[in-house]
Amino acid sequence: MRSMVYKSISVVLMIAVGMMIMAAHHENESQKKQEIFDRNVATTKAWMQGFADEDLDAQMDLMADDIQWNPAQYNGNVLVNKEGTGEALKWYHDNFNDVIFHEGLDLTSKRSNGFFGGSVYPQNDNPNVVAVYGTWTPIHAETGKQVFNKWHGVLEFNEEGKIIYLSDFFDVNGIQVQLEAAADIYDNPIKPEGSE
């Protein structure tokens, strides 16, 4: 009887030790994934800072040579390579100044965190996928008018921490609409009824 009790205690202890080892492994894996995600968020912020600094080389250095960009505007569902992505970035650098990204702005009724990992449905715990939300507020170089552009981006990183995939979502035509509306207001100011 005593040996059976010892065997039962041994089994319980082995199970408990096994569970502690598994929990420690899970915690270490979770911590490692958090570190990778934090690195990728820092890279994303550095890439976005390239707009403010108008530093195309810095932005290009953060992208993998085989990056694929899925632009917001319809282009026949063609993924754009690194050269084409660089051309688009240069166009923004040439046409906008004082480009600032406001993390999380307009995501909720209050300003909030703008960086998320993966997707909730289905659960995706891949630390190499970063979703970004916020609002860009650049100044149009030609007109001097500020535009507001809500933006959602999804970036995927390779093992070296370089951006390998970028998909962005925003109202591409909204920039032009804002510029035309601003120009119309300044060119044709609204006058009170009865005034000349």
Side-chain angles (χ1 to χ4, degrees), residues 2 40 45 50 64 84 105 109 119 156 185 187:
R2 189 175 266 188
N40 293 336
K45 288 181 177 183
L105 186 63
S109 62
S119 174
E156 185 176 349
I185 289 171
D187 293 342

Side-chain angles (χ1 to χ4, degrees), residues 95-114:
N95 287 281
F96 295 94
N97 299 315
D98 301 323
V99 179
I100 298 172
F101 181 71
H102 304 275
E103 172 186 335
L105 186 63
D106 294 329
L107 178 60
T108 65
S109 62
K110 296 181 172 69
R111 192 168 189 158
S112 64
N113 175 28

Side-chain angles (χ1 to χ4, degrees), residues 85-132:
T85 302
E87 290 170 4
L89 293 172
K90 184 168 179 0
W91 182 87
Y92 281 105
H93 289 207
D94 291 345
N95 287 281
F96 295 94
N97 299 315
D98 301 323
V99 179
I100 298 172
F101 181 71
H102 304 275
E103 172 186 335
L105 186 63
D106 294 329
L107 178 60
T108 65
S109 62
K110 296 181 172 69
R111 192 168 189 158
S112 64
N113 175 28
F115 295 88
F116 302 90
S119 174
V120 177
Y121 304 105
Q123 183 63 35
N124 178 5
D125 65 351
N126 181 353
N128 284 313
V129 176
V130 176
V132 186

Side-chain angles (χ1 to χ4, degrees), residues 8 12 30-32 65 72 75 86 99 109 136 172-173 186 196:
S8 297
V12 169
S30 179
Q31 182 179 352
K32 183 178 179 185
D65 289 338
N75 70 342
V99 179
S109 62
W136 292 97
V172 178
N173 296 326
Y186 290 100
E196 290 185 33

Side-chain angles (χ1 to χ4, degrees), residues 27-45 115-118 124-131 155-163:
E27 187 175 322
N28 287 341
E29 185 178 323
S30 179
Q31 182 179 352
K32 183 178 179 185
K33 285 183 177 183
Q34 184 65 51
E35 289 169 1
I36 292 169
F37 179 75
D38 291 344
R39 174 202 68 191
N40 293 336
V41 168
T43 300
T44 302
K45 288 181 177 183
F115 295 88
F116 302 90
N124 178 5
D125 65 351
N126 181 353
N128 284 313
V129 176
V130 176
L155 296 89
E156 185 176 349
F157 295 81
N158 63 19
E159 294 304 316
E160 290 78 41
K162 300 264 188 175
I163 302 167

